[in-house]
Amino acid sequence: MPRRLYSCTPSRLNTWLDCRRRYRFTYLDRPAPQKGPAWAHNSVGASVHNALAGWWREPYEKRTPVMASILLTNGWISEGFRDAEQSTVFRDRAREMVAGYVSTLDPSDEPVGVERTVGTRTKVIAVSGRIDRLDRRGDELVVVDYKTGRRPLTQDDARSSLALAIYAIAASRMLRTPCRKVELHHLPTGEIVEWEHSDESLGRHLRRAEEMAEEAGAADESYRDGDTESMFAPSPGPICSWCDFRRHCPEGRAAAPERLPWDGLTPSE
């Protein structure tokens, strides 16, 4: 019998790559172990993403910086902050950020998709994911991904992103339009980092995804057969400070210090 396709998202594959124990906690254990508290920086990111998606769904004449500010304020997610005062400070900063960003956009330049789900299949994998924004530039498509973190981005971030490459492949196949360019839009600085893939580089990313899928799929089968440990060793390191399942992992707790839910926020000026 042919082997069943491994169905996943780029996030699932990256979780397998980062830490196999976290992969098990996230995708296999049911009920899943209880997560730690919400992270404030994730609340900022989700609030900004939601506001920008909503902005493009407004009628053309309402696509203004003021509308972006309103959408951000109305949809603000306040989880993970130290207190109401800190939440308000970062809400106001995020409001300025989205208003400044949309002021650089042409509201009449309608995207091909906003928060659009795309997917593709090979003989090994069925992969899908959601693109923040899909633009048409001339005769080609461009994948746009919003970033709100404090770390400055480099061209290597765009070049090496498995998710962006998969999105480009899937969008090209679904819409029958070339899609090789991917962009990271860093809203805190207004910087745009881009990379234009070749067919060869996209193929390398897809083969890498297949290799990861074969490993993870074999681990899934092992788990279903009752082996919940041998293929799910942790990968202790600095990233353990930010793991949602830290409380369930002795190796992770020993590897890195505990972080407060608001420690990932960009420091105030």
mmCIF file of all heavy atoms in Angstrom, residues 41-90:
data_model
loop_
_atom_site.group_PDB
_atom_site.id
_atom_site.type_symbol
_atom_site.label_atom_id
_atom_site.label_comp_id
_atom_site.label_asym_id
_atom_site.label_seq_id
_atom_site.Cartn_x
_atom_site.Cartn_y
_atom_site.Cartn_z
ATOM 1 N N HIS A 41 4.464 39.627 23.791
ATOM 2 C CA HIS A 41 4.918 39.957 22.433
ATOM 3 C C HIS A 41 4.080 39.235 21.379
ATOM 4 O O HIS A 41 3.890 39.756 20.271
ATOM 5 C CB HIS A 41 6.410 39.646 22.255
ATOM 6 C CG HIS A 41 6.781 38.213 22.420
ATOM 7 N ND1 HIS A 41 6.984 37.636 23.649
ATOM 8 C CD2 HIS A 41 6.998 37.220 21.505
ATOM 9 C CE1 HIS A 41 7.325 36.368 23.501
ATOM 10 N NE2 HIS A 41 7.335 36.083 22.202
ATOM 11 N N ASN A 42 3.550 38.060 21.711
ATOM 12 C CA ASN A 42 2.641 37.392 20.786
ATOM 13 C C ASN A 42 1.321 38.142 20.680
ATOM 14 O O ASN A 42 0.694 38.180 19.611
ATOM 15 C CB ASN A 42 2.388 35.953 21.230
ATOM 16 C CG ASN A 42 3.569 35.044 20.980
ATOM 17 O OD1 ASN A 42 4.480 35.383 20.216
ATOM 18 N ND2 ASN A 42 3.587 33.891 21.628
ATOM 19 N N SER A 43 0.874 38.737 21.786
ATOM 20 C CA SER A 43 -0.349 39.534 21.755
ATOM 21 C C SER A 43 -0.174 40.751 20.849
ATOM 22 O O SER A 43 -1.078 41.112 20.087
ATOM 23 C CB SER A 43 -0.729 39.979 23.168
ATOM 24 O OG SER A 43 -1.108 38.880 23.976
ATOM 25 N N VAL A 44 1.002 41.387 20.925
ATOM 26 C CA VAL A 44 1.272 42.521 20.035
ATOM 27 C C VAL A 44 1.239 42.067 18.580
ATOM 28 O O VAL A 44 0.585 42.684 17.722
ATOM 29 C CB VAL A 44 2.644 43.151 20.360
ATOM 30 C CG1 VAL A 44 3.000 44.215 19.316
ATOM 31 C CG2 VAL A 44 2.649 43.760 21.756
ATOM 32 N N GLY A 45 1.931 40.966 18.288
ATOM 33 C CA GLY A 45 1.990 40.487 16.910
ATOM 34 C C GLY A 45 0.619 40.133 16.363
ATOM 35 O O GLY A 45 0.275 40.505 15.230
ATOM 36 N N ALA A 46 -0.185 39.429 17.147
ATOM 37 C CA ALA A 46 -1.521 39.044 16.684
ATOM 38 C C ALA A 46 -2.401 40.267 16.487
ATOM 39 O O ALA A 46 -3.174 40.338 15.512
ATOM 40 C CB ALA A 46 -2.155 38.082 17.688
ATOM 41 N N SER A 47 -2.301 41.231 17.389
ATOM 42 C CA SER A 47 -3.122 42.439 17.263
ATOM 43 C C SER A 47 -2.781 43.204 15.986
ATOM 44 O O SER A 47 -3.671 43.681 15.274
ATOM 45 C CB SER A 47 -2.909 43.343 18.485
ATOM 46 O OG SER A 47 -3.296 42.707 19.683
ATOM 47 N N VAL A 48 -1.490 43.319 15.692
ATOM 48 C CA VAL A 48 -1.049 44.029 14.489
ATOM 49 C C VAL A 48 -1.478 43.280 13.235
ATOM 50 O O VAL A 48 -2.009 43.880 12.275
ATOM 51 C CB VAL A 48 0.477 44.235 14.525
ATOM 52 C CG1 VAL A 48 0.993 44.709 13.162
ATOM 53 C CG2 VAL A 48 0.854 45.226 15.616
ATOM 54 N N HIS A 49 -1.275 41.977 13.212
ATOM 55 C CA HIS A 49 -1.673 41.191 12.048
ATOM 56 C C HIS A 49 -3.175 41.312 11.797
ATOM 57 O O HIS A 49 -3.624 41.477 10.645
ATOM 58 C CB HIS A 49 -1.299 39.726 12.245
ATOM 59 C CG HIS A 49 0.128 39.405 11.936
ATOM 60 N ND1 HIS A 49 1.171 39.814 12.738
ATOM 61 C CD2 HIS A 49 0.696 38.706 10.916
ATOM 62 C CE1 HIS A 49 2.318 39.388 12.209
ATOM 63 N NE2 HIS A 49 2.057 38.714 11.104
ATOM 64 N N ASN A 50 -3.963 41.216 12.846
ATOM 65 C CA ASN A 50 -5.412 41.306 12.688
ATOM 66 C C ASN A 50 -5.837 42.677 12.167
ATOM 67 O O ASN A 50 -6.746 42.779 11.324
ATOM 68 C CB ASN A 50 -6.107 41.020 14.023
ATOM 69 C CG ASN A 50 -5.961 39.585 14.470
ATOM 70 O OD1 ASN A 50 -5.647 38.702 13.675
ATOM 71 N ND2 ASN A 50 -6.167 39.336 15.745
ATOM 72 N N ALA A 51 -5.193 43.730 12.672
ATOM 73 C CA ALA A 51 -5.541 45.076 12.222
ATOM 74 C C ALA A 51 -5.216 45.272 10.747
ATOM 75 O O ALA A 51 -6.009 45.853 9.993
ATOM 76 C CB ALA A 51 -4.809 46.115 13.075
ATOM 77 N N LEU A 52 -4.060 44.777 10.315
ATOM 78 C CA LEU A 52 -3.680 44.939 8.907
ATOM 79 C C LEU A 52 -4.574 44.118 7.986
ATOM 80 O O LEU A 52 -4.939 44.566 6.893
ATOM 81 C CB LEU A 52 -2.215 44.545 8.723
ATOM 82 C CG LEU A 52 -1.205 45.486 9.384
ATOM 83 C CD1 LEU A 52 0.210 44.950 9.234
ATOM 84 C CD2 LEU A 52 -1.303 46.894 8.809
ATOM 85 N N ALA A 53 -4.941 42.929 8.422
ATOM 86 C CA ALA A 53 -5.870 42.130 7.617
ATOM 87 C C ALA A 53 -7.213 42.837 7.510
ATOM 88 O O ALA A 53 -7.824 42.909 6.425
ATOM 89 C CB ALA A 53 -6.039 40.745 8.236
ATOM 90 N N GLY A 54 -7.692 43.373 8.633
ATOM 91 C CA GLY A 54 -8.962 44.075 8.621
ATOM 92 C C GLY A 54 -8.929 45.328 7.767
ATOM 93 O O GLY A 54 -9.922 45.683 7.125
ATOM 94 N N TRP A 55 -7.779 45.998 7.749
ATOM 95 C CA TRP A 55 -7.641 47.222 6.954
ATOM 96 C C TRP A 55 -7.871 46.946 5.479
ATOM 97 O O TRP A 55 -8.576 47.694 4.802
ATOM 98 C CB TRP A 55 -6.240 47.793 7.183
ATOM 99 C CG TRP A 55 -5.995 49.156 6.604
ATOM 100 C CD1 TRP A 55 -6.351 50.352 7.147
ATOM 101 C CD2 TRP A 55 -5.306 49.458 5.379
ATOM 102 N NE1 TRP A 55 -5.922 51.383 6.350
ATOM 103 C CE2 TRP A 55 -5.285 50.866 5.257
ATOM 104 C CE3 TRP A 55 -4.718 48.681 4.389
ATOM 105 C CZ2 TRP A 55 -4.694 51.508 4.176
ATOM 106 C CZ3 TRP A 55 -4.124 49.321 3.307
ATOM 107 C CH2 TRP A 55 -4.108 50.706 3.203
ATOM 108 N N TRP A 56 -7.307 45.850 4.977
ATOM 109 C CA TRP A 56 -7.488 45.522 3.563
ATOM 110 C C TRP A 56 -8.915 45.080 3.262
ATOM 111 O O TRP A 56 -9.348 45.132 2.107
ATOM 112 C CB TRP A 56 -6.505 44.436 3.139
ATOM 113 C CG TRP A 56 -5.117 44.933 2.902
ATOM 114 C CD1 TRP A 56 -4.012 44.677 3.646
ATOM 115 C CD2 TRP A 56 -4.684 45.786 1.835
ATOM 116 N NE1 TRP A 56 -2.923 45.318 3.122
ATOM 117 C CE2 TRP A 56 -3.296 45.997 2.001
ATOM 118 C CE3 TRP A 56 -5.343 46.379 0.750
ATOM 119 C CZ2 TRP A 56 -2.559 46.787 1.131
ATOM 120 C CZ3 TRP A 56 -4.594 47.171 -0.120
ATOM 121 C CH2 TRP A 56 -3.225 47.364 0.065
ATOM 122 N N ARG A 57 -9.658 44.659 4.260
ATOM 123 C CA ARG A 57 -11.050 44.241 4.037
ATOM 124 C C ARG A 57 -12.030 45.413 4.066
ATOM 125 O O ARG A 57 -13.200 45.249 3.743
ATOM 126 C CB ARG A 57 -11.445 43.186 5.078
ATOM 127 C CG ARG A 57 -10.635 41.900 4.965
ATOM 128 C CD ARG A 57 -11.098 40.839 5.943
ATOM 129 N NE ARG A 57 -10.286 39.636 5.839
ATOM 130 C CZ ARG A 57 -9.492 39.161 6.800
ATOM 131 N NH1 ARG A 57 -9.449 39.791 7.978
ATOM 132 N NH2 ARG A 57 -8.777 38.069 6.612
ATOM 133 N N GLU A 58 -11.543 46.571 4.478
ATOM 134 C CA GLU A 58 -12.379 47.769 4.457
ATOM 135 C C GLU A 58 -12.571 48.252 3.012
ATOM 136 O O GLU A 58 -11.733 47.995 2.146
ATOM 137 C CB GLU A 58 -11.716 48.884 5.269
ATOM 138 C CG GLU A 58 -11.663 48.634 6.768
ATOM 139 C CD GLU A 58 -13.031 48.723 7.404
ATOM 140 O OE1 GLU A 58 -13.892 49.477 6.907
ATOM 141 O OE2 GLU A 58 -13.239 48.038 8.419
ATOM 142 N N PRO A 59 -13.671 48.966 2.748
ATOM 143 C CA PRO A 59 -13.821 49.582 1.426
ATOM 144 C C PRO A 59 -12.648 50.515 1.134
ATOM 145 O O PRO A 59 -12.051 51.094 2.053
ATOM 146 C CB PRO A 59 -15.134 50.367 1.548
ATOM 147 C CG PRO A 59 -15.858 49.754 2.694
ATOM 148 C CD PRO A 59 -14.806 49.244 3.644
ATOM 149 N N TYR A 60 -12.350 50.673 -0.131
ATOM 150 C CA TYR A 60 -11.178 51.454 -0.535
ATOM 151 C C TYR A 60 -11.128 52.815 0.148
ATOM 152 O O TYR A 60 -10.083 53.234 0.663
ATOM 153 C CB TYR A 60 -11.192 51.625 -2.060
ATOM 154 C CG TYR A 60 -10.329 52.761 -2.539
ATOM 155 C CD1 TYR A 60 -8.943 52.660 -2.532
ATOM 156 C CD2 TYR A 60 -10.906 53.975 -2.964
ATOM 157 C CE1 TYR A 60 -8.137 53.709 -2.951
ATOM 158 C CE2 TYR A 60 -10.106 55.029 -3.382
ATOM 159 C CZ TYR A 60 -8.728 54.901 -3.370
ATOM 160 O OH TYR A 60 -7.941 55.938 -3.783
ATOM 161 N N GLU A 61 -12.248 53.522 0.203
ATOM 162 C CA GLU A 61 -12.246 54.883 0.720
ATOM 163 C C GLU A 61 -11.981 54.952 2.226
ATOM 164 O O GLU A 61 -11.656 56.009 2.772
ATOM 165 C CB GLU A 61 -13.574 55.578 0.405
ATOM 166 C CG GLU A 61 -14.810 54.960 1.045
ATOM 167 C CD GLU A 61 -15.384 53.816 0.222
ATOM 168 O OE1 GLU A 61 -14.730 53.399 -0.762
ATOM 169 O OE2 GLU A 61 -16.487 53.348 0.567
ATOM 170 N N LYS A 62 -12.078 53.822 2.923
ATOM 171 C CA LYS A 62 -11.818 53.794 4.367
ATOM 172 C C LYS A 62 -10.423 53.288 4.720
ATOM 173 O O LYS A 62 -10.081 53.205 5.905
ATOM 174 C CB LYS A 62 -12.865 52.922 5.068
ATOM 175 C CG LYS A 62 -14.270 53.495 5.033
ATOM 176 C CD LYS A 62 -15.224 52.650 5.878
ATOM 177 C CE LYS A 62 -16.616 53.270 5.904
ATOM 178 N NZ LYS A 62 -17.538 52.462 6.746
ATOM 179 N N ARG A 63 -9.637 52.980 3.727
ATOM 180 C CA ARG A 63 -8.287 52.480 3.985
ATOM 181 C C ARG A 63 -7.332 53.643 4.248
ATOM 182 O O ARG A 63 -6.564 54.068 3.395
ATOM 183 C CB ARG A 63 -7.797 51.632 2.813
ATOM 184 C CG ARG A 63 -8.573 50.341 2.635
ATOM 185 C CD ARG A 63 -8.118 49.595 1.393
ATOM 186 N NE ARG A 63 -8.988 48.461 1.113
ATOM 187 C CZ ARG A 63 -8.988 47.780 -0.027
ATOM 188 N NH1 ARG A 63 -8.139 48.112 -1.002
ATOM 189 N NH2 ARG A 63 -9.819 46.770 -0.202
ATOM 190 N N THR A 64 -7.395 54.127 5.471
ATOM 191 C CA THR A 64 -6.603 55.279 5.877
ATOM 192 C C THR A 64 -5.793 54.904 7.119
ATOM 193 O O THR A 64 -6.097 53.927 7.808
ATOM 194 C CB THR A 64 -7.507 56.468 6.223
ATOM 195 O OG1 THR A 64 -8.302 56.114 7.366
ATOM 196 C CG2 THR A 64 -8.423 56.820 5.054
ATOM 197 N N PRO A 65 -4.758 55.685 7.432
ATOM 198 C CA PRO A 65 -4.035 55.442 8.687
ATOM 199 C C PRO A 65 -4.936 55.518 9.917
ATOM 200 O O PRO A 65 -4.744 54.768 10.877
ATOM 201 C CB PRO A 65 -2.976 56.550 8.683
ATOM 202 C CG PRO A 65 -2.721 56.811 7.232
ATOM 203 C CD PRO A 65 -4.067 56.684 6.577
ATOM 204 N N VAL A 66 -5.910 56.404 9.898
ATOM 205 C CA VAL A 66 -6.829 56.515 11.031
ATOM 206 C C VAL A 66 -7.611 55.212 11.208
ATOM 207 O O VAL A 66 -7.785 54.728 12.339
ATOM 208 C CB VAL A 66 -7.794 57.705 10.839
ATOM 209 C CG1 VAL A 66 -8.891 57.675 11.904
ATOM 210 C CG2 VAL A 66 -7.034 59.025 10.895
ATOM 211 N N MET A 67 -8.056 54.629 10.109
ATOM 212 C CA MET A 67 -8.781 53.368 10.200
ATOM 213 C C MET A 67 -7.883 52.269 10.754
ATOM 214 O O MET A 67 -8.319 51.439 11.568
ATOM 215 C CB MET A 67 -9.321 52.956 8.826
ATOM 216 C CG MET A 67 -10.020 51.595 8.819
ATOM 217 S SD MET A 67 -11.380 51.445 10.013
ATOM 218 C CE MET A 67 -12.608 52.523 9.233
ATOM 219 N N ALA A 68 -6.631 52.234 10.346
ATOM 220 C CA ALA A 68 -5.702 51.234 10.890
ATOM 221 C C ALA A 68 -5.577 51.390 12.399
ATOM 222 O O ALA A 68 -5.556 50.406 13.140
ATOM 223 C CB ALA A 68 -4.334 51.366 10.222
ATOM 224 N N SER A 69 -5.498 52.632 12.863
ATOM 225 C CA SER A 69 -5.416 52.887 14.301
ATOM 226 C C SER A 69 -6.664 52.407 15.024
ATOM 227 O O SER A 69 -6.584 51.811 16.105
ATOM 228 C CB SER A 69 -5.224 54.391 14.554
ATOM 229 O OG SER A 69 -4.011 54.851 14.005
ATOM 230 N N ILE A 70 -7.812 52.659 14.432
ATOM 231 C CA ILE A 70 -9.075 52.234 15.046
ATOM 232 C C ILE A 70 -9.145 50.715 15.130
ATOM 233 O O ILE A 70 -9.531 50.145 16.168
ATOM 234 C CB ILE A 70 -10.259 52.800 14.241
ATOM 235 C CG1 ILE A 70 -10.333 54.315 14.383
ATOM 236 C CG2 ILE A 70 -11.577 52.149 14.685
ATOM 237 C CD1 ILE A 70 -11.332 54.976 13.458
ATOM 238 N N LEU A 71 -8.777 50.050 14.061
ATOM 239 C CA LEU A 71 -8.830 48.587 14.045
ATOM 240 C C LEU A 71 -7.884 47.995 15.082
ATOM 241 O O LEU A 71 -8.216 47.011 15.753
ATOM 242 C CB LEU A 71 -8.480 48.076 12.649
ATOM 243 C CG LEU A 71 -9.511 48.359 11.555
ATOM 244 C CD1 LEU A 71 -8.925 48.042 10.173
ATOM 245 C CD2 LEU A 71 -10.779 47.547 11.781
ATOM 246 N N LEU A 72 -6.700 48.590 15.215
ATOM 247 C CA LEU A 72 -5.746 48.106 16.206
ATOM 248 C C LEU A 72 -6.298 48.288 17.615
ATOM 249 O O LEU A 72 -6.245 47.373 18.446
ATOM 250 C CB LEU A 72 -4.417 48.849 16.033
ATOM 251 C CG LEU A 72 -3.186 48.413 16.830
ATOM 252 C CD1 LEU A 72 -3.246 48.842 18.295
ATOM 253 C CD2 LEU A 72 -2.964 46.904 16.752
ATOM 254 N N THR A 73 -6.845 49.453 17.878
ATOM 255 C CA THR A 73 -7.374 49.737 19.213
ATOM 256 C C THR A 73 -8.544 48.815 19.549
ATOM 257 O O THR A 73 -8.609 48.235 20.646
ATOM 258 C CB THR A 73 -7.826 51.205 19.306
ATOM 259 O OG1 THR A 73 -6.712 52.063 19.038
ATOM 260 C CG2 THR A 73 -8.367 51.512 20.690
ATOM 261 N N ASN A 74 -9.461 48.674 18.608
ATOM 262 C CA ASN A 74 -10.656 47.858 18.871
ATOM 263 C C ASN A 74 -10.335 46.376 19.016
ATOM 264 O O ASN A 74 -11.031 45.653 19.726
ATOM 265 C CB ASN A 74 -11.686 48.050 17.754
ATOM 266 C CG ASN A 74 -12.301 49.433 17.774
ATOM 267 O OD1 ASN A 74 -12.185 50.165 18.744
ATOM 268 N ND2 ASN A 74 -12.965 49.800 16.680
ATOM 269 N N GLY A 75 -9.276 45.921 18.353
ATOM 270 C CA GLY A 75 -8.939 44.508 18.393
ATOM 271 C C GLY A 75 -7.763 44.175 19.291
ATOM 272 O O GLY A 75 -7.206 43.068 19.198
ATOM 273 N N TRP A 76 -7.374 45.115 20.142
ATOM 274 C CA TRP A 76 -6.186 44.917 20.960
ATOM 275 C C TRP A 76 -6.325 43.698 21.872
ATOM 276 O O TRP A 76 -7.344 43.515 22.543
ATOM 277 C CB TRP A 76 -5.900 46.155 21.783
ATOM 278 C CG TRP A 76 -4.690 46.048 22.658
ATOM 279 C CD1 TRP A 76 -4.648 46.023 24.021
ATOM 280 C CD2 TRP A 76 -3.326 45.960 22.212
ATOM 281 N NE1 TRP A 76 -3.352 45.929 24.458
ATOM 282 C CE2 TRP A 76 -2.506 45.891 23.371
ATOM 283 C CE3 TRP A 76 -2.715 45.939 20.950
ATOM 284 C CZ2 TRP A 76 -1.120 45.792 23.299
ATOM 285 C CZ3 TRP A 76 -1.334 45.839 20.878
ATOM 286 C CH2 TRP A 76 -0.556 45.775 22.035
ATOM 287 N N ILE A 77 -5.288 42.876 21.907
ATOM 288 C CA ILE A 77 -5.234 41.694 22.769
ATOM 289 C C ILE A 77 -4.326 42.032 23.950
ATOM 290 O O ILE A 77 -3.148 42.352 23.766
ATOM 291 C CB ILE A 77 -4.678 40.483 21.996
ATOM 292 C CG1 ILE A 77 -5.583 40.165 20.803
ATOM 293 C CG2 ILE A 77 -4.570 39.264 22.915
ATOM 294 C CD1 ILE A 77 -4.981 39.164 19.828
ATOM 295 N N SER A 78 -4.858 41.969 25.148
ATOM 296 C CA SER A 78 -4.134 42.467 26.322
ATOM 297 C C SER A 78 -3.505 41.365 27.165
ATOM 298 O O SER A 78 -3.029 41.626 28.267
ATOM 299 C CB SER A 78 -5.083 43.294 27.199
ATOM 300 O OG SER A 78 -6.188 42.508 27.618
ATOM 301 N N GLU A 79 -3.454 40.147 26.662
ATOM 302 C CA GLU A 79 -2.921 39.038 27.443
ATOM 303 C C GLU A 79 -1.392 39.096 27.539
ATOM 304 O O GLU A 79 -0.710 39.443 26.580
ATOM 305 C CB GLU A 79 -3.327 37.697 26.811
ATOM 306 C CG GLU A 79 -4.825 37.448 26.825
ATOM 307 C CD GLU A 79 -5.172 36.118 26.178
ATOM 308 O OE1 GLU A 79 -4.309 35.547 25.476
ATOM 309 O OE2 GLU A 79 -6.295 35.650 26.370
ATOM 310 N N GLY A 80 -0.870 38.748 28.705
ATOM 311 C CA GLY A 80 0.565 38.586 28.882
ATOM 312 C C GLY A 80 1.303 39.802 29.394
ATOM 313 O O GLY A 80 2.495 39.698 29.726
ATOM 314 N N PHE A 81 0.654 40.934 29.475
ATOM 315 C CA PHE A 81 1.335 42.142 29.925
ATOM 316 C C PHE A 81 1.421 42.178 31.457
ATOM 317 O O PHE A 81 0.624 41.551 32.155
ATOM 318 C CB PHE A 81 0.612 43.384 29.403
ATOM 319 C CG PHE A 81 0.680 43.515 27.906
ATOM 320 C CD1 PHE A 81 -0.318 42.995 27.098
ATOM 321 C CD2 PHE A 81 1.765 44.128 27.302
ATOM 322 C CE1 PHE A 81 -0.258 43.090 25.714
ATOM 323 C CE2 PHE A 81 1.844 44.236 25.915
ATOM 324 C CZ PHE A 81 0.840 43.711 25.127
ATOM 325 N N ARG A 82 2.376 42.926 31.950
ATOM 326 C CA ARG A 82 2.589 43.024 33.391
ATOM 327 C C ARG A 82 1.358 43.606 34.084
ATOM 328 O O ARG A 82 0.955 43.154 35.157
ATOM 329 C CB ARG A 82 3.820 43.882 33.672
ATOM 330 C CG ARG A 82 4.161 44.031 35.149
ATOM 331 C CD ARG A 82 5.352 44.945 35.360
ATOM 332 N NE ARG A 82 5.118 46.266 34.802
ATOM 333 C CZ ARG A 82 5.891 46.839 33.876
ATOM 334 N NH1 ARG A 82 6.941 46.207 33.398
ATOM 335 N NH2 ARG A 82 5.616 48.052 33.421
ATOM 336 N N ASP A 83 0.786 44.648 33.460
ATOM 337 C CA ASP A 83 -0.378 45.304 34.044
ATOM 338 C C ASP A 83 -1.063 46.122 32.949
ATOM 339 O O ASP A 83 -0.601 46.162 31.795
ATOM 340 C CB ASP A 83 0.017 46.191 35.230
ATOM 341 C CG ASP A 83 1.173 47.132 34.914
ATOM 342 O OD1 ASP A 83 1.277 47.589 33.748
ATOM 343 O OD2 ASP A 83 1.983 47.419 35.812
ATOM 344 N N ALA A 84 -2.161 46.770 33.309
ATOM 345 C CA ALA A 84 -2.926 47.549 32.339
ATOM 346 C C ALA A 84 -2.111 48.707 31.775
ATOM 347 O O ALA A 84 -2.232 49.065 30.597
ATOM 348 C CB ALA A 84 -4.207 48.061 32.993
ATOM 349 N N GLU A 85 -1.256 49.290 32.617
ATOM 350 C CA GLU A 85 -0.438 50.413 32.149
ATOM 351 C C GLU A 85 0.523 49.972 31.049
ATOM 352 O O GLU A 85 0.657 50.639 30.017
ATOM 353 C CB GLU A 85 0.345 51.003 33.317
ATOM 354 C CG GLU A 85 1.211 52.195 32.917
ATOM 355 C CD GLU A 85 2.002 52.754 34.083
ATOM 356 O OE1 GLU A 85 1.877 52.210 35.198
ATOM 357 O OE2 GLU A 85 2.753 53.735 33.875
ATOM 358 N N GLN A 86 1.191 48.847 31.243
ATOM 359 C CA GLN A 86 2.107 48.351 30.212
ATOM 360 C C GLN A 86 1.342 48.004 28.935
ATOM 361 O O GLN A 86 1.800 48.298 27.826
ATOM 362 C CB GLN A 86 2.861 47.127 30.721
ATOM 363 C CG GLN A 86 3.961 46.665 29.775
ATOM 364 C CD GLN A 86 4.605 45.380 30.213
ATOM 365 O OE1 GLN A 86 3.929 44.370 30.406
ATOM 366 N NE2 GLN A 86 5.937 45.404 30.375
ATOM 367 N N SER A 87 0.189 47.395 29.079
ATOM 368 C CA SER A 87 -0.626 47.060 27.914
ATOM 369 C C SER A 87 -0.987 48.316 27.129
ATOM 370 O O SER A 87 -0.906 48.344 25.893
ATOM 371 C CB SER A 87 -1.888 46.331 28.359
ATOM 372 O OG SER A 87 -2.751 46.091 27.257
ATOM 373 N N THR A 88 -1.349 49.379 27.821
ATOM 374 C CA THR A 88 -1.733 50.626 27.164
ATOM 375 C C THR A 88 -0.558 51.251 26.425
ATOM 376 O O THR A 88 -0.695 51.736 25.297
ATOM 377 C CB THR A 88 -2.285 51.624 28.199
ATOM 378 O OG1 THR A 88 -3.448 51.063 28.823
ATOM 379 C CG2 THR A 88 -2.659 52.940 27.542
ATOM 380 N N VAL A 89 0.624 51.209 27.044
ATOM 381 C CA VAL A 89 1.812 51.761 26.397
ATOM 382 C C VAL A 89 2.088 51.054 25.076
ATOM 383 O O VAL A 89 2.328 51.693 24.034
ATOM 384 C CB VAL A 89 3.040 51.654 27.334
ATOM 385 C CG1 VAL A 89 4.332 51.931 26.560
ATOM 386 C CG2 VAL A 89 2.905 52.599 28.506
ATOM 387 N N PHE A 90 2.023 49.721 25.086
ATOM 388 C CA PHE A 90 2.340 48.978 23.873
ATOM 389 C C PHE A 90 1.199 49.010 22.866
ATOM 390 O O PHE A 90 1.428 48.919 21.654
ATOM 391 C CB PHE A 90 2.753 47.549 24.225
ATOM 392 C CG PHE A 90 4.178 47.467 24.674
ATOM 393 C CD1 PHE A 90 4.518 47.639 26.009
ATOM 394 C CD2 PHE A 90 5.197 47.279 23.754
ATOM 395 C CE1 PHE A 90 5.837 47.607 26.418
ATOM 396 C CE2 PHE A 90 6.521 47.242 24.153
ATOM 397 C CZ PHE A 90 6.846 47.408 25.492
#
